[in-house]
């Protein structure tokens, strides 16, 4: 709601793009997707430097491409990524951040299927005899 209610930020007047998801070290290098408040879609945007992105978007997250894939396929849980591998910025309260949004979308309470996959993967790695993985 905060993203929709603001109209200016550090670089001046805001357009429809209010948040950015930057995925680094993936195929093609850095990929940058902006959240469009008019369509609620993430659309590919021109990749910029981190400082430029932070000045242009009031909300943002940067994470490794492989961590994002692991998150959406259940090989990692959101708290595995949000603890240190994901860098975020936001205005407002902590609950206004993309980290909180990721917990709301991919957290165990919303996606128990992904949590079960993560636990199964972890259990297989812990219980497998050495040299059998």
């Amino acid at each position: 709601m905060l993203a929709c209610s603001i109209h200016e930020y550090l670089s001046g007047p805001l357009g429809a793009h209010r948040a950015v998801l930057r995925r680094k070290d993936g195929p093609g290098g850095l990929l940058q997707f902006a959240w469009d408040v008019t369509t609620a879609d993430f659309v590919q945007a021109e990749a910029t430097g981190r400082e430029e992105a932070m000045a242009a978007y009031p909300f943002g997250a940067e994470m490794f491409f492989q961590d994002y894939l692991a998150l959406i396929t259940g090989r990692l849980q959101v708290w595995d990524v949000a603890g240190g591998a994901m860098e975020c910025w936001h205005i407002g309260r902590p609950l206004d951040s993309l980290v909180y949004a990721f917990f709301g979308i991919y957290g165990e309470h919303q996606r128990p299927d992904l949590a079960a996959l993560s636990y199964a993967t972890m259990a297989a790695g812990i219980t497998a005899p050495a040299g059998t993985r």
Side-chain angles (χ1 to χ4, degrees):
M1 288 180 16
L2 179 59
C4 293
S5 69
I6 58 174
H7 302 288
E8 290 190 35
Y9 186 56
L10 298 175
S11 62
L14 289 171
H17 298 165
R18 307 291 173 89
V20 67
L21 175 60
R22 295 165 49 88
R23 297 188 309 214
K24 56 187 177 180
D25 293 338
L30 175 73
L31 298 174
Q32 186 164 298
F33 296 88
W35 180 63
D36 187 322
V37 296
T38 62
T39 63
D41 289 331
F42 274 91
V43 295
Q44 190 159 3
E46 182 180 343
T48 62
R50 183 182 307 161
E51 291 79 18
E52 291 173 277
M54 291 177 80
Y57 300 96
F59 305 89
E62 182 175 281
M63 62 193 311
F64 289 103
F65 182 79
Q66 66 270 16
D67 288 347
Y68 183 75
L69 287 180
L71 176 65
I72 64 174
T73 59
R75 290 181 287 132
L76 285 176
Q77 290 198 39
V78 67
W79 39 265
D80 293 323
V81 179
M86 183 188 322
E87 296 183 38
C88 295
W89 66 92
H90 67 281
I91 61 172
R93 304 168 304 150
L95 296 180
D96 295 324
S97 72
L98 287 180
V99 171
Y100 185 75
F102 273 104
F103 276 102
I105 296 166
Y106 296 111
E108 297 169 313
H109 59 290
Q110 291 295 331
R111 294 296 308 265
D113 57 321
L114 294 179
L117 285 171
S118 175
Y119 291 139
T121 301
M122 183 175 53
I126 291 172
T127 59
T132 61
R133 287 184 236 157

